[in-house]
Amino acid sequence: MSQAVPVRGDEEASASTGDTRLTQRSGFSRLVRRPELASLLGAVVIFALFMIVAPAFRSLEAFSTVLYASSTLGIVALAVGLLMIGNEFDLSSGVAVTSAALVATMLNYNFHLNSWVGVGLSLLTALAIGALNGLLVTRTKIDSFLITLAAFLMLQGLNLAITKLVTGQVATPTIADMEGFPSARVVFAGTLHVGSLSIRATVLWWILFVAIASWVLYKTRWGNWIFAVGGDDAAARAVGVPVRRVKVALFMFVGFAAWFVGMHTLFAFDSIQAGQGIGNEFLYIIAAVIGGCSMTGGRGTAVGTAIGALIFGMTNQGIVYAGWNPDWFKFFLGAMLLFAVLTNTSVANFTKRR
């Protein structure tokens, strides 16, 4: 009795079908493992919700306001997110924004400097604060939570004490009449008009910073180092990764981001309250976590932090447009944070099983 023997074409078809299924499974697995997937789905749901319940949310003006609110948070959240990928935290980022603005405005006002000189000196100060945080963390081996908590308290005290000492009050005087102020306002707080849509400069800068950070993370050696340091700094050091340099650079990037938002605040409003910025550090961390950055390092994306900030902006403004009690904002933010943590944990467990 003869037995049918599959010809080569049948074998190739079977192999081809198997390869296709394997590719599909592999593609699905990669999609599920994307850190920003949950935040993207959450952003779509929130957008749809407010489009339905808040008619004012559908206007171009509302869209512009949401982007603006998201960008001022998102710029610092981006830097904080990259630092979290490197398995460190910075609790001083909120008050560092105010510190940077205070340095620039008080130097300009008291020494009659060109506004750009104050901007430059403020940048050096912000980078120095970031470098000091990074050096203390890497040299002492003390948890970054404690080091930056100490920096938070010291900066908060300096902001209030020095401002009161110099100005006699908690708000800084105007520097709008200083040379260089108009051009600095255009760079840090300008507005681009596209038809009936007004786009603030921070939105454009935010998009640029996210694009650069994404390129660094996935196309450069520094990106590999950041993920390696966040995953296991001892193993990274063993294969030649300059762990200390990477972490210090990440802390300095947080200082840069805080400086940039501080300059926006200064040139947008022309006066700084010495006590502002307190508590914003938690919003930056929340945005990064919602965007898929792991609390234990080694996982996250720049785009994810942007989506997390966008969720913040949509929720913050959407509640206002819907006419709801603003107290609901904290509830929504907490719910999104819990959802993000649970989702990230589930994805991490799924990845380990694979």
Side-chain angles (χ1 to χ4, degrees):
M1 186 173 180
S2 62
Q3 183 177 3
V5 179
V7 297
R8 184 172 181 81
D10 295 333
E11 294 175 345
E12 289 177 347
S14 176
S16 176
T17 302
D19 290 344
T20 301
R21 290 173 180 172
L22 182 61
T23 301
Q24 289 173 344
R25 288 198 299 270
S26 177
F28 176 75
S29 298
R30 286 197 298 269
L31 177 63
V32 171
R33 288 198 296 266
R34 291 296 301 177
E36 69 273 26
L37 177 62
S39 61
L40 179 60
L41 295 176
V44 171
V45 170
I46 291 174
F47 177 77
L49 170 66
F50 287 117
M51 285 291 284
I52 294 171
V53 303
F57 189 79
R58 305 166 195 165
S59 67
L60 288 177
E61 181 181 355
F63 179 69
S64 175
T65 303
V66 166
L67 285 178
Y68 172 60
S70 303
S71 67
T72 54
L73 177 87
I75 290 173
V76 185
L78 170 64
V80 169
L82 262 62
L83 182 64
M84 290 176 63
I85 294 173
N87 199 22
E88 302 292 351
F89 294 91
D90 191 342
L91 295 181
S92 68
S93 54
V95 292
V97 171
T98 304
S99 298
L102 288 172
V103 169
T105 187
M106 287 199 286
L107 285 175
N108 285 342
Y109 183 82
N110 290 284
F111 294 100
H112 306 287
L113 301 174
N114 183 292
S115 291
W116 284 104
V117 176
V119 166
L121 293 174
S122 175
L123 174 59
L124 294 177
T125 303
L127 292 176
I129 292 172
L132 180 60
N133 282 338
L135 288 171
L136 286 173
V137 168
T138 56
R139 294 282 186 179
T140 65
K141 305 300 181 182
I142 297 174
D143 195 284
S144 57
F145 180 91
L146 295 175
I147 294 291
T148 58
L149 177 60
F152 161 81
L153 294 172
M154 289 189 290
L155 289 176
Q156 181 184 356
L158 286 173
N159 289 349
L160 289 166
I162 295 178
T163 303
K164 288 182 179 178
L165 179 65
V166 174
T167 67
Q169 54 187 357
V170 295
T172 60
T174 178
I175 60 168
D177 57 345
M178 295 290 181
E179 185 179 355
F181 185 91
S183 59
R185 169 170 278 182
V186 170
V187 172
F188 294 105
T191 302
L192 175 66
H193 298 281
V194 181
S196 58
L197 180 64
S198 298
I199 302 176
R200 301 294 293 268
T202 51
V203 176
L204 302 177
W205 284 112
W206 178 39
I207 294 172
L208 177 62
F209 293 153
V210 169
I212 293 174
S214 297
W215 176 76
V216 169
L217 280 178
Y218 293 104
K219 298 295 183 180
T220 71
R221 181 173 58 179
W222 270 88
N224 292 332
W225 288 351
I226 292 171
F227 282 112
V229 166
D232 187 338
D233 59 354
R237 187 178 287 106
V239 296
V241 175
V243 174
R244 182 176 298 164
R245 194 196 319 168
V246 170
K247 292 196 174 188
V248 170
L250 289 173
F251 275 104
M252 291 179 71
F253 183 46
V254 174
F256 168 82
W259 163 81
F260 191 92
V261 175
M263 294 305 96
H264 164 73
T265 305
L266 171 60
F267 291 105
F269 303 105
D270 188 30
S271 182
I272 301 296
Q273 295 285 334
Q276 69 188 65
I278 298 172
N280 286 351
E281 58 279 349
F282 295 110
L283 298 181
Y284 303 143
I285 293 173
I286 289 170
V289 172
I290 290 176
C293 292
S294 173
M295 299 289 288
T296 56
R299 176 181 171 84
T301 65
V303 172
T305 67
I307 297 174
L310 185 61
I311 288 174
F312 168 89
M314 287 193 296
T315 305
N316 189 30
Q317 299 301 316
I319 287 175
V320 175
Y321 289 127
W324 296 352
N325 188 325
D327 293 337
W328 282 106
F329 169 68
K330 293 295 178 64
F331 171 81
F332 272 98
L333 203 60
M336 283 301 305
L337 176 61
L338 179 61
F339 174 74
V341 171
L342 292 175
T343 303
N344 290 343
T345 302
S346 300
V347 170
N349 293 335
F350 172 80
T351 303
K352 289 179 181 178
R353 289 197 299 270
R354 298 292 292 183

